[in-house]
Amino acid sequence: MNNIQSDNYIVYFNDSITELAKFVKQGNYSRAFILTDEHTTEHCLPIVKEQLDELDNFDLIEVNAGEESKTIDFCIGIWKTLIDFGADRKALLINLGGGVITDMGGFVASTYKRGIDFVQVPTTLLSQVDASVGGKTGVDMDAVKNIIGTFTQPKAVFMYGGFLQTLPARQILSGLAEMLKHGLIVDKTYWDQLKISDLTLPSDELVHRSVQIKNEVVIADPHEKGIRKALNFGHTVGHAVETWSLMNDTDPLSHGEAIAIGMICEAWLSNKKIGLPDSELLEITEVLIHLYPRYKIDEGTFPTLLEHMQKDKKNQNGQINCTLLKHIGKYSIDNICTEDELCDSLRYYADL
Amino acid sequence: MNNIQSDNYIVYFNDSITELAKFVKQGNYSRAFILTDEHTTEHCLPIVKEQLDELDNFDLIEVNAGEESKTIDFCIGIWKTLIDFGADRKALLINLGGGVITDMGGFVASTYKRGIDFVQVPTTLLSQVDASVGGKTGVDMDAVKNIIGTFTQPKAVFMYGGFLQTLPARQILSGLAEMLKHGLIVDKTYWDQLKISDLTLPSDELVHRSVQIKNEVVIADPHEKGIRKALNFGHTVGHAVETWSLMNDTDPLSHGEAIAIGMICEAWLSNKKIGLPDSELLEITEVLIHLYPRYKIDEGTFPTLLEHMQKDKKNQNGQINCTLLKHIGKYSIDNICTEDELCDSLRYYADL
């Protein structure tokens, strides 16, 4: 597998932990900080540390695992730790964890002293295929996901398949939704390949192809003015369902579980509004329903879900904007959907 | 006077409030927000509003005046207001105020939904000559100035001399320190001109020259890797004294008052370390001592002041780094100063 060249940085796939150690040594940093959560401290840090052992001035910052940590309050904690440790502009932040760690760590680094270097070491399937490229950093606020953040590229990304072996099946499924989305929006061959693969632990090659697809899209449109919106397929409805679940369920949906629901609803909208063939709607629905657990969505929650959709970053002028599919492998951006249409799409899922 | 072209945006000097109204109209924004403090709401907003009156969707966000407001807590308040008002990516933030408003407003805008447009309407002399160009945004944390922020350019800057007429003399003096600094670092002629001018209300031409100088420096070095450090003259010692005063005095020093002290100390260091002639040290000392009130600095405060200097963003590898002068009009960057030298420079000021 080749390493992938992104916007001024490399995504390493081969000997990536050795490459990380080399990167840190050659970077001549005044100090390196590693940001983790309790899970990555236990499962992933030992693997990384073995290679970085010779490093002086190497400090750990740990935050609580989970989306509830992805807030400005945790950023304040990390900023203050950096201040207390006297981190200067030549300090490096190594984000070792899932999307919460890479998104939040990226935001903290991009704003500490107006920007210090950071690298991403994504440890979940979701963060490997989604958060690893694209330069989006951010945290949630007032139940709006990623509302505060920057577009800032890491200095490098290090991909290590070994991390995935420690993950529970549910976390694998969460990342898988984004991989399926990559196939659906631009690559029917990849979608067909995923359908017949063992998806309990996706191979390095499949992960590589997903990163390649995402990278091509974000390089073409780093600030989400056009084609990058392709990646939002499933996310208008999906984010709303995810937010609702996060606020109301004791065991909330994972990102991927919510996006899978969103993709079913938005495939329905695609069929209804821009001619996605019936057979393809059926195929998408069946694949996703088969892979993901069912989730109960009551009519009573629709108004709240619509409210969340209204707050989506992607909207303009108060209209709800969806990325839909013309075909499997062919996306279409900027489709305004009415509240009635969105409710009908939720009903389609609820009635399956 | 010509308008000044900066890094992808224009600093308007002529009919600037009319230009602001034109800019807002032509920008096709979904909504415009004006950030003010209680002083600019009273004195400056009416002037701006007169021109913007026709605008629909025009909302006011007011924060408390003063450096104590320049915190992440106030940012959270502004972010939440933007969320509550449903501000989308095509919203505009108009920062109408001094450096606190322009720095903090710039930071909030640069991170809301990963960046919305903002313009600066600086209303104090200090913000006109200092914060108006350069693209630095930020807030203070744990008594470290501007420690959290980004490099983000506004879409335009609107300079209006009329705002200065409402300012107390002490605020004029605060901005004047930066103007004097501009002369000291790169333009002896301008310094000489300032010495013989009426400085109770600096003319539009003098303000224009200061912005021109600062603009030339920041355009050459937008991310402060080299020559931009010229602008730090007086700021290593000055920021430390400012922070100390902010934390300990009931009526703390203004930025300019602190920087004036810093410039005297750093002129002394320039004389001691890199050959600033005795006559020029004397001249700088006399001009500043004549303009600015005396401030008592006890030996007992030196350790705390040194600690603040250690936390300065500009340092690397734990060494304190100063910009000094070879001559009036000729700066020198990256001069490492020892704690003893810095204490001696404070003694020079204290014994004047």
Side-chain angles (χ1 to χ4, degrees):
Chain A
M1 270 181 313
N2 295 324
N3 295 328
I4 293 178
Q5 175 68 47
S6 189
D7 184 7
N8 277 319
Y9 64 92
I10 293 171
V11 184
Y12 290 93
F13 279 83
N14 299 308
D15 294 324
S16 54
I17 304 300
T18 321
E19 292 288 352
L20 168 62
K22 235 193 273 175
F23 176 94
V24 175
K25 249 174 256 170
Q26 289 170 356
N28 199 22
Y29 289 103
S30 58
R31 197 160 188 160
F33 294 85
I34 303 194
L35 183 66
T36 61
D37 61 36
E38 65 270 27
H39 301 314
T40 59
T41 301
E42 184 184 344
H43 298 294
C44 308
L45 187 62
I47 298 167
V48 171
K49 239 178 154 171
E50 207 174 290
Q51 300 282 345
L52 287 176
D53 238 6
E54 322 148 36
L55 209 64
D56 302 330
N57 280 332
F58 166 179
D59 297 291
L60 190 66
I61 307 177
E62 188 184 288
V63 298
N64 303 344
E67 185 80 20
E68 310 81 62
S69 300
K70 200 175 163 184
T71 62
I72 200 78
D73 287 338
F74 274 89
C75 293
I76 292 171
I78 305 168
W79 281 322
K80 291 195 174 198
T81 307
L82 292 172
I83 295 172
D84 286 347
F85 277 91
D88 65 25
R89 282 184 177 165
K90 281 294 289 173
L92 173 71
L93 185 63
I94 301 169
N95 298 315
L96 179 69
V100 170
I101 295 291
T102 57
D103 287 5
M104 181 161 65
F107 177 63
V108 165
S110 73
T111 52
Y112 181 71
K113 301 200 175 193
R114 300 201 183 90
I116 59 171
D117 283 0
F118 65 100
V119 296
Q120 308 291 43
V121 191
T123 59
T124 62
L125 182 59
L126 178 60
S127 60
Q128 289 193 353
V129 298
D130 192 35
S132 62
V133 291
K136 285 188 176 181
T137 78
V139 295
D140 308 334
M141 185 177 285
D142 280 0
V144 191
K145 284 181 62 76
N146 303 316
I147 185 88
I148 308 302
T150 62
F151 283 107
T152 312
Q153 308 296 338
K155 290 295 159 188
V157 177
F158 303 92
M159 303 285 270
Y160 176 61
F163 290 139
L164 304 186
Q165 287 158 17
T166 66
L167 291 180
R170 204 176 157 197
Q171 285 236 25
I172 296 288
L173 269 179
S174 184
L176 188 60
E178 294 290 342
M179 298 172 73
L180 292 161
K181 182 195 76 181
H182 292 147
L184 287 174
I185 57 174
V186 292
D187 189 347
K188 182 170 185 334
T189 312
Y190 180 53
W191 164 261
D192 289 336
Q193 195 183 350
L194 285 168
K195 281 192 302 182
I196 57 167
S197 299
D198 170 18
L199 297 178
T200 53
L201 188 67
S203 67
D204 288 353
E205 284 70 24
L206 289 173
V207 171
H208 186 268
R209 178 65 193 135
S210 248
V211 175
Q212 214 169 32
I213 291 174
K214 174 148 192 198
N215 190 48
E216 280 163 17
V217 172
V218 299
I219 280 188
D221 179 19
H223 289 87
E224 200 161 1
K225 305 286 184 192
I227 111 154
R228 185 171 182 155
K229 294 183 189 166
L231 298 169
N232 293 329
F233 175 65
H235 280 60
T236 303
V237 176
H239 266 168
V241 173
E242 185 181 8
T243 302
W244 195 91
S245 172
L246 202 61
M247 294 173 76
N248 293 281
D249 296 334
T250 46
D251 181 25
L253 289 172
S254 73
H255 178 69
E257 287 164 352
I259 295 311
I261 296 169
M263 288 195 287
I264 293 172
C265 296
E266 294 180 26
W268 183 87
L269 288 165
S270 303
N271 174 254
K272 162 106 178 158
K273 289 174 67 81
I274 62 166
L276 177 76
D278 292 348
S279 61
E280 298 191 3
L281 168 60
L282 193 68
E283 178 182 331
I284 295 168
T285 305
E286 278 180 354
V287 168
L288 293 171
I289 282 290
H290 174 74
L291 282 167
Y292 290 88
R294 300 299 299 273
Y295 183 71
K296 201 166 153 32
I297 303 180
D298 290 329
E299 289 270 337
T301 64
F302 288 8
T304 316
L305 291 173
L306 287 170
E307 217 174 278
H308 291 318
M309 293 181 212
Q310 285 288 1
K311 284 190 183 164
D312 193 287
K313 280 192 302 304
K314 297 179 288 293
N315 296 326
Q316 282 176 16
N317 302 314
Q319 293 181 302
I320 299 174
N321 198 340
C322 291
T323 296
L324 302 177
L325 302 178
K326 281 186 191 137
H327 280 283
I328 289 176
K330 183 107 194 68
Y331 68 87
S332 157
I333 64 170
D334 289 335
N335 297 283
I336 306 292
C337 296
T338 65
E339 302 205 340
D340 283 349
E341 289 167 339
L342 289 157
C343 287
D344 283 345
S345 79
L346 289 165
R347 276 182 204 109
Y348 170 73
Y349 175 81
D351 295 344
L352 284 172
Chain B
M1 271 182 311
N2 295 325
N3 294 328
I4 293 178
Q5 175 67 47
S6 189
D7 185 4
N8 276 321
Y9 63 93
I10 293 171
V11 183
Y12 291 93
F13 279 84
N14 299 309
D15 294 323
S16 52
I17 304 300
T18 319
E19 292 288 352
L20 168 62
K22 237 194 271 176
F23 177 94
V24 175
K25 249 174 258 171
Q26 289 170 358
N28 198 20
Y29 290 102
S30 58
R31 196 158 186 159
F33 294 85
I34 303 193
L35 183 66
T36 61
D37 62 34
E38 65 271 26
H39 300 316
T40 59
T41 300
E42 183 185 344
H43 298 295
C44 308
L45 186 61
I47 297 167
V48 171
K49 241 179 152 171
E50 206 174 294
Q51 299 283 343
L52 287 176
D53 239 6
E54 321 148 39
L55 209 64
D56 301 330
N57 281 330
F58 164 0
D59 296 292
L60 191 68
I61 306 177
E62 186 183 291
V63 300
N64 303 343
E67 186 78 21
E68 310 82 62
S69 300
K70 200 175 163 184
T71 64
I72 200 76
D73 287 337
F74 273 89
C75 293
I76 293 172
I78 305 169
W79 282 320
K80 292 196 173 199
T81 306
L82 292 171
I83 295 173
D84 286 347
F85 276 90
D88 66 23
R89 282 185 177 165
K90 282 292 290 173
L92 172 71
L93 185 64
I94 300 169
N95 298 315
L96 179 68
V100 169
I101 295 291
T102 57
D103 287 6
M104 180 161 66
F107 177 63
V108 165
S110 74
T111 52
Y112 181 71
K113 302 203 176 191
R114 299 200 182 92
I116 60 171
D117 283 0
F118 65 99
V119 296
Q120 309 290 42
V121 190
T123 59
T124 62
L125 182 60
L126 178 58
S127 59
Q128 290 195 348
V129 298
D130 192 35
S132 62
V133 291
K136 286 189 175 180
T137 79
V139 295
D140 309 335
M141 186 178 282
D142 280 0
V144 191
K145 282 181 65 74
N146 302 317
I147 185 86
I148 308 303
T150 61
F151 283 107
T152 313
Q153 307 297 337
K155 291 295 159 188
V157 177
F158 303 91
M159 305 284 269
Y160 177 60
F163 291 138
L164 305 185
Q165 286 159 16
T166 65
L167 292 179
R170 203 175 157 196
Q171 285 235 27
I172 296 287
L173 268 178
S174 184
L176 187 62
E178 294 291 342
M179 298 171 74
L180 292 161
K181 182 195 77 181
H182 292 147
L184 286 174
I185 58 175
V186 292
D187 189 346
K188 184 170 183 332
T189 312
Y190 180 53
W191 164 260
D192 289 336
Q193 196 183 349
L194 285 168
K195 281 191 304 181
I196 56 165
S197 300
D198 170 18
L199 298 177
T200 52
L201 186 67
S203 66
D204 288 354
E205 286 69 26
L206 290 173
V207 170
H208 186 269
R209 178 67 193 134
S210 249
V211 174
Q212 213 170 31
I213 290 174
K214 175 150 191 198
N215 189 48
E216 281 163 17
V217 172
V218 298
I219 279 188
D221 177 20
H223 290 86
E224 199 160 4
K225 305 287 183 192
I227 112 153
R228 184 169 181 158
K229 293 183 191 167
L231 298 169
N232 293 329
F233 174 65
H235 281 61
T236 304
V237 175
H239 266 168
V241 172
E242 185 180 6
T243 302
W244 195 92
S245 172
L246 203 60
M247 296 173 74
N248 293 279
D249 296 333
T250 45
D251 179 25
L253 289 173
S254 73
H255 178 69
E257 285 164 353
I259 295 311
I261 296 168
M263 289 195 286
I264 292 173
C265 295
E266 295 180 27
W268 183 88
L269 288 165
S270 303
N271 174 255
K272 163 107 178 159
K273 289 175 68 80
I274 63 166
L276 177 76
D278 292 348
S279 61
E280 298 192 0
L281 169 60
L282 194 68
E283 179 181 332
I284 295 168
T285 307
E286 279 180 353
V287 169
L288 294 171
I289 281 290
H290 173 74
L291 282 167
Y292 290 88
R294 300 300 300 274
Y295 183 70
K296 201 165 153 34
I297 303 179
D298 289 330
E299 288 271 335
T301 64
F302 288 9
T304 316
L305 291 173
L306 287 170
E307 219 173 276
H308 291 317
M309 293 181 212
Q310 285 287 1
K311 284 191 182 163
D312 192 286
K313 282 190 303 302
K314 298 178 289 292
N315 295 326
Q316 284 178 14
N317 302 312
Q319 293 182 302
I320 298 173
N321 200 339
C322 291
T323 296
L324 302 178
L325 303 177
K326 281 187 190 136
H327 280 284
I328 290 176
K330 183 108 196 65
Y331 68 88
S332 157
I333 64 169
D334 289 334
N335 296 283
I336 308 290
C337 295
T338 66
E339 301 204 341
D340 283 349
E341 288 168 338
L342 289 157
C343 287
D344 283 345
S345 79
L346 289 164
R347 275 181 206 110
Y348 171 72
Y349 175 81
D351 294 345
L352 283 172

